[in-house]
Amino acid sequence: DFSRFMFFIDSKSSKIEEIRRRCVEIDCPLLEEYDFINDSSVPNIKIELYSATQIRKYQEKALAKMFNKGRARSGVIVLPCGAGKTIVGIASVTVIKKASLIVCNSTVSVEQWKKQFLKWSNINKKKIKSFVAGQFSISDTFSAEIIITTYSMISFGGQRARLSASLLGEIKEREWGLVILDEVHVVPANVFRKVLGILKTHCKLGLTATLLREDRKVGDIGFLIGPKLYEANWLELEKGGFLAMAYCAEICCQMPVNFYERYLIETGSTRQILCALNPNKARVCDFLVRYHESRGDRILVFSDNVFALRSYATKMTRAFIYGATGSIERIKILKNFQEKEGQTLFISRIGDTSIDLPEANVILQISSHYGSRRQEAQRLGRILRPKTRSKKAFFYSLVSSHTEEMFYATKRQQFLVSQGYDFKTIMNLSGMEQAKNLVFQSEEETFELLTQILSNQNYT
């Protein structure tokens, strides 16, 4: 019985990850705690939550798991999208009151974190800075008490500009009281795990909506960051009114004979594009877009395949955003979507985590990333923030019948089913037969589409 003994291990910093991993393997995980109250090595900072800021009960429970007897535990807090992970992170900074580094997945998230800090806390504007490409100055960042940056900015191993390299060196050498890792499920990826080996921190807090990875590396989080401190059940938050009520449906779309015959003899990316651009799926999408626009809903149509994304949006004359969309055009499109009711936006996988659109309440998924449970949960999370006008959110997954999409769809839904969500399977949509002028209505249009698909060599 080793419970009565205390062991001191003197090890090189490069071996710490190895020690943590081994402790997990022998079922003796290390628990990292930070005595921030008595720590004089890291100066205190002036930051408090505004008195009007309300912390919900489940957020209090999450924070209670992190803080115990004046110490802060390193670990991961799992809350669904729209449940206020950012406020939990900000609250943890106000409790510890030490220099803090926030690491995000994208530059869009960096700006969102900065706005939330200024909205919910009294941090001095001059004391919180962003460290992203082309948007920093050396004097500002050195004096900042809270710095917000991205994983790629810290882990990038190539040649840097002198100023950027100098700032990164300062971040690496500085001793941080708290490092918050947003979207922590990306950290185990080899390029991102460098971040944790580079930074000097007393406490690490991981935040995510879905502690899922398809490469089986999610277990690495246990020794890279710490154990799961708290996880909220999605349906319980829905019942409490903290999340919108979600209606989930899988709509099976038969392929036309000429499409399906081609599907059976093709492989790889050609099969994927045939499934995504199934004309019957396109008609279902058009029908649902018209229906929800007439209700004043705001609709996001997700497609991982950019060729399909552009084809749908162009045919239906709707706006679309993907990785190559310029920042000015992107801002204009997003502003229009946020300000006007009855809007539809076609969007690629960049919408999974990087863009905050709380107004959206309907999602149509026409193309996805294989059987990713994480992506399915993230996309549902895009529409779960409580709505003032409508209490319900609608999530439709459009699947080509008798294809590999059906297998992947079942796998993708596993996490949400485990949270208590029920996917209704729909074979036929009532009222669709009476709808006029839907896309790809004629055989000529369908044949032209198939010809276009087969002649296009740039599948993305």
Side-chain angles (χ1 to χ4, degrees):
D1 181 10
F2 292 104
S3 61
R4 295 172 297 165
F5 297 92
M6 182 178 292
F7 296 92
F8 293 90
I9 301 173
D10 187 12
S11 175
K12 294 180 181 179
S13 59
S14 60
K15 297 290 184 180
I16 291 176
E17 182 180 321
E18 190 177 325
I19 293 170
R20 288 181 182 140
R21 184 196 293 271
R22 183 59 186 145
C23 287
V24 170
E25 289 173 353
I26 63 174
D27 202 23
C28 185
L30 297 177
L31 183 64
E32 292 185 56
E33 292 188 338
Y34 175 34
D35 185 9
F36 58 91
I37 294 175
N38 298 313
D39 178 26
S40 57
S41 62
V42 181
N44 288 342
I45 65 174
K46 292 182 179 180
I47 183 171
E48 299 284 353
L49 289 175
Y50 284 127
S51 57
T53 304
Q54 292 185 340
I55 303 295
R56 297 168 178 170
K57 286 186 178 181
Y58 63 88
Q59 292 169 330
E60 288 180 357
K61 288 181 181 179
L63 290 166
K65 293 290 185 180
M66 180 181 178
F67 295 99
N68 183 40
K69 298 179 181 178
R71 293 173 181 266
R73 292 177 177 172
S74 290
V76 180
I77 291 174
V78 186
L79 293 174
C81 297
K85 293 186 298 295
T86 306
I87 293 181
V88 170
I90 294 169
S92 66
V93 175
T94 64
V95 173
I96 292 178
K97 291 182 171 57
K98 302 287 184 182
S100 300
L101 178 70
I102 320 307
V103 191
C104 305
N105 199 28
S106 68
T107 54
V108 175
S109 297
V110 169
E111 289 308 307
Q112 289 171 355
W113 268 91
K114 188 175 180 180
K115 287 178 182 177
Q116 294 295 305
F117 259 105
L118 296 173
K119 179 180 180 180
W120 302 110
S121 77
N122 64 354
I123 185 71
N124 188 320
K125 263 188 177 182
K126 296 179 180 179
K127 297 297 183 180
I128 178 170
K129 297 294 175 183
S130 306
F131 177 49
V132 293
Q135 298 180 27
F136 50 83
S137 69
I138 193 162
S139 58
D140 285 347
T141 308
F142 278 179
S143 64
E145 295 171 341
I146 296 173
I147 294 179
I148 311 172
T149 186
T150 64
Y151 293 106
S152 57
M153 283 295 288
I154 294 179
S155 63
F156 177 68
Q159 195 171 13
R160 292 177 179 269
R162 184 180 298 177
L163 176 57
S164 176
S166 177
L167 288 170
L168 180 61
E170 195 267 345
I171 288 174
K172 289 179 181 178
E173 291 303 316
R174 191 167 179 178
E175 196 171 340
W176 300 97
L178 174 65
V179 169
I180 295 177
L181 301 148
D182 195 22
E183 302 292 350
V184 75
H185 54 266
V186 305
V187 176
N190 291 334
V191 67
F192 291 134
R193 68 190 305 158
K194 294 179 186 176
V195 172
L196 292 169
I198 288 170
L199 301 174
K200 298 176 181 178
T201 178
H202 291 275
C203 183
K204 301 183 289 291
L205 173 62
L207 297 173
T208 184
T210 53
L211 201 55
L212 295 169
R213 285 182 67 90
E214 306 308 325
D215 59 7
R216 300 182 181 180
K217 289 186 177 180
V218 71
D220 292 359
I221 290 176
F223 62 84
L224 287 173
I225 300 166
K228 181 169 65 178
L229 301 173
Y230 179 82
E231 180 172 9
N233 180 272
W234 294 38
L235 279 188
E236 286 181 7
L237 297 188
E238 181 185 293
K239 290 174 183 176
F242 301 116
L243 296 178
M245 293 176 61
Y247 170 85
C248 301
E250 176 183 302
I251 303 178
C252 299
C253 308
Q254 294 284 346
M255 270 190 175
V257 174
N258 55 346
F259 265 71
Y260 194 63
E261 287 176 346
R262 198 73 204 193
Y263 170 84
L264 291 175
I265 62 175
E266 294 289 350
T267 58
S269 58
T270 308
R271 276 191 160 200
Q272 293 172 22
I273 194 69
L274 286 168
C275 287
L277 274 170
N278 174 359
N280 290 329
K281 182 189 285 191
R283 283 194 283 274
V284 170
C285 178
D286 192 12
F287 176 77
L288 288 171
V289 163
R290 294 185 192 186
Y291 169 72
H292 282 286
E293 282 183 346
S294 69
R295 287 165 36 99
D297 296 327
R298 289 183 174 92
I299 306 137
L300 294 175
V301 183
F302 276 96
S303 174
D304 275 37
N305 189 288
V306 176
F307 178 66
L309 178 81
R310 294 172 67 103
S311 300
Y312 271 81
T314 304
K315 188 71 175 177
M316 296 170 61
T317 61
R318 301 297 194 281
F320 63 93
I321 290 177
Y322 65 111
T325 306
S327 58
I328 295 175
E329 184 182 358
R330 185 181 300 191
I331 291 169
K332 182 181 177 182
I333 292 171
L334 292 177
K335 186 178 180 182
N336 186 61
F337 182 85
Q338 292 165 344
E339 291 179 351
K340 296 180 181 179
E341 292 185 354
Q343 291 290 306
T344 297
L345 174 61
F346 284 78
I347 192 165
S348 70
R349 70 178 65 174
I350 65 167
D352 291 350
T353 57
S354 302
I355 296 176
D356 188 27
L357 292 169
E359 300 84 3
N361 69 313
V362 178
I363 279 181
L364 299 176
Q365 185 171 245
I366 55 177
S367 167
S368 54
H369 185 66
Y370 300 103
S372 175
R373 297 163 297 161
R374 182 183 72 190
Q375 188 184 61
E376 194 89 347
Q378 285 174 326
R379 288 182 174 175
L380 176 60
R382 298 292 97 192
I383 54 174
L384 286 185
R385 290 194 180 178
K387 310 295 187 289
T388 53
R389 195 180 64 84
S390 173
K391 289 185 177 181
K392 270 205 169 185
F394 298 86
F395 183 89
Y396 302 101
S397 182
L398 276 54
V399 179
S400 292
S401 300
H402 310 297
T403 68
E404 59 189 20
E405 279 193 342
M406 297 193 75
F407 167 75
Y408 291 130
T410 302
K411 188 173 185 295
R412 290 172 65 83
Q413 294 163 13
Q414 287 176 357
F415 173 74
L416 294 177
V417 170
S418 73
Q419 291 289 316
Y421 286 96
D422 180 32
F423 274 79
K424 183 179 180 181
T425 301
I426 299 175
M427 305 304 293
N428 296 292
L429 283 173
S430 60
M432 188 171 163
E433 291 181 0
Q434 290 75 40
K436 296 180 180 180
N437 301 319
L438 294 177
V439 295
F440 303 117
Q441 195 82 47
S442 67
E443 290 186 10
E444 290 78 8
E445 286 180 299
T446 301
F447 178 77
E448 184 182 341
L449 175 63
L450 180 59
T451 304
Q452 185 183 6
I453 292 171
L454 297 177
S455 63
N456 187 287
Q457 300 300 314
N458 300 313
Y459 303 114
T460 49

